[in-house]
Amino acid sequence: MNELVPVGPISPLRQRLIDDMTMRRFSRETQRNYLRDVGRFATWLGRSPHTATVEDIRRFQIEQQDAGVPAPTMNSIVAALRFFFTHTLDRPELARKLVRTAHARKIPVVLTLAEVKRLLDATTCLKHQAALSVAYGAGLRVSEVSALKVSDVDSKRMLLRIERGKGGRYRNAMLPEGLLVLLREWWRAGRQQGIMLPNGWLFPGQNATVPISTRQLYRIVVEAAEAADIAKRVGPHTLRHSFATHLLEDGVDIRVIQALLGHAKLNTTAFYTQVATKTMRAHCLA
């Protein structure tokens, strides 16, 4: 019986994993991904994962690789299983046997300033424009945009408080003056529409008691890019990539950008130097 796949009531083991992630303030998206990936292993194992052995871990990884599972997907599974074995089952000896797969990181797609403006202007309503403007203007992940509440906007310090960042980390993001003006405009419109609750979500979904979904935000970006006649493959994370690259090109210190993005490692942020260099060369040759 697979205790991690929800069939009927939630099993004690699945609930324990959920509690462990909630206690560490993991985002809803991270929790969903971890439950899916640990469930994938449990389904492969065919029995409760608390009975897993070192040999099971080894065979699982080999078979996944032989099946052609992409390296990024496999690394996501490894992260989920490491957490599960270390914190939920208290079996760190199994976590140590999980191996991350090395892979070449693709150069991210980055929009020019003109393309960003065209994309934002192509949105179909004020809420969508404000949400995408936050993704770019503050460099947020799509899950962080979705999770913002009205109370997270600190207009006195010109900051956005990110309480549900990756790995449950807290941080402050920048709030440019132009973005604050747009958010105030959206706040007034949302209040008139009756969907902006006093301590509610900054970007409510169709039901004001729940936030806009990350899937809807993705669809909004894609549709805006098509309307703006942008040929590049664009998603919500493209706006975050563009934010970081544009800051680098403006001479902002890379450690400042690391803090704004909420990266745990400087190497992750330093990757944008490759994009910025290419972008600057393109500008010089234009």
Side-chain angles (χ1 to χ4, degrees):
M1 175 178 161
N2 188 343
E3 298 175 77
L4 275 302
V5 176
V7 178
I10 296 178
S11 72
L13 185 57
R14 180 182 173 88
Q15 187 60 56
R16 186 173 174 182
L17 174 56
I18 293 171
D19 291 342
D20 287 339
M21 293 188 290
T22 302
M23 182 169 58
R24 291 164 178 80
R25 298 183 179 275
F26 282 14
S27 69
R28 289 171 300 152
E29 185 177 11
T30 299
Q31 292 196 31
R32 184 171 61 247
N33 292 342
Y34 275 30
L35 286 168
R36 178 199 63 209
D37 292 338
V38 175
R40 179 174 183 160
F41 170 74
T43 298
W44 174 87
L45 189 64
R47 62 181 192 274
S48 177
H50 84 273
T51 65
T53 65
V54 169
E55 182 58 26
D56 290 328
I57 298 295
R58 179 176 174 277
R59 284 196 304 109
F60 172 72
Q61 291 179 101
I62 291 173
E63 289 187 21
Q64 294 297 300
Q65 188 176 48
D66 290 345
V69 175
T73 302
M74 197 62 227
N75 288 339
S76 296
I77 296 171
V78 165
L81 290 177
R82 280 180 177 172
F83 179 88
F84 176 66
F85 288 129
T86 301
H87 300 286
T88 302
L89 292 185
D90 193 21
R91 297 191 63 188
E93 76 281 2
L94 292 184
R96 287 194 292 270
K97 296 299 180 181
L98 290 159
V99 180
R100 284 181 59 84
T101 305
H103 66 99
R105 187 176 173 186
K106 293 182 179 178
I107 298 293
V109 173
V110 172
L111 302 179
T112 65
L113 287 170
E115 287 173 331
V116 171
K117 185 178 186 307
R118 278 165 43 204
L119 185 144
L120 296 178
D121 288 344
T123 50
T124 56
C125 72
L126 184 58
K127 180 174 79 170
H128 295 171
Q129 186 181 50
L132 299 193
S133 295
V134 166
Y136 171 72
L140 303 192
R141 301 176 178 92
V142 64
S143 59
E144 294 169 346
V145 175
S146 170
L148 281 174
K149 291 190 173 181
V150 174
S151 57
D152 292 330
V153 180
D154 188 342
S155 59
K156 291 183 179 179
R157 299 170 62 205
M158 297 301 289
L159 297 171
L160 288 172
R161 288 186 290 269
I162 311 302
E163 296 188 0
R164 299 167 184 82
K166 192 172 183 178
R169 292 187 290 271
Y170 287 74
R171 77 178 191 281
N172 290 323
M174 64 190 297
L175 176 59
E177 188 173 342
L179 181 56
L180 177 60
V181 171
L182 179 60
L183 289 178
R184 281 175 170 164
E185 185 182 352
W186 157 237
W187 182 82
R188 286 191 293 268
R191 294 275 288 178
Q192 290 176 353
Q193 296 170 25
I195 61 173
M196 187 71 78
L197 305 179
N199 294 307
W201 304 104
L202 185 58
F203 303 113
Q206 292 183 345
N207 182 334
T209 61
V210 296
I212 190 170
S213 69
T214 56
R215 183 173 296 180
Q216 186 179 357
L217 285 170
Y218 186 92
R219 186 167 58 248
I220 291 166
V221 174
V222 171
E223 291 175 353
E226 290 177 354
D229 198 25
I230 296 172
K232 298 173 182 176
R233 186 172 182 176
V234 177
H237 220 68
T238 308
L239 296 172
R240 178 172 159 90
H241 291 323
S242 302
F243 165 83
T245 304
H246 295 164
L247 286 183
L248 270 174
E249 292 172 345
D250 286 341
V252 177
D253 185 87
I254 194 168
R255 292 193 178 276
V256 174
I257 299 173
Q258 177 190 7
L260 291 173
L261 293 175
H263 284 161
K265 298 178 180 179
L266 184 61
N267 286 347
T268 306
T269 315
F271 188 72
Y272 289 109
T273 58
Q274 298 181 39
V275 192
T277 301
K278 289 186 176 183
T279 307
M280 284 187 285
R281 285 176 181 169
H283 286 321
C284 290
L285 294 172

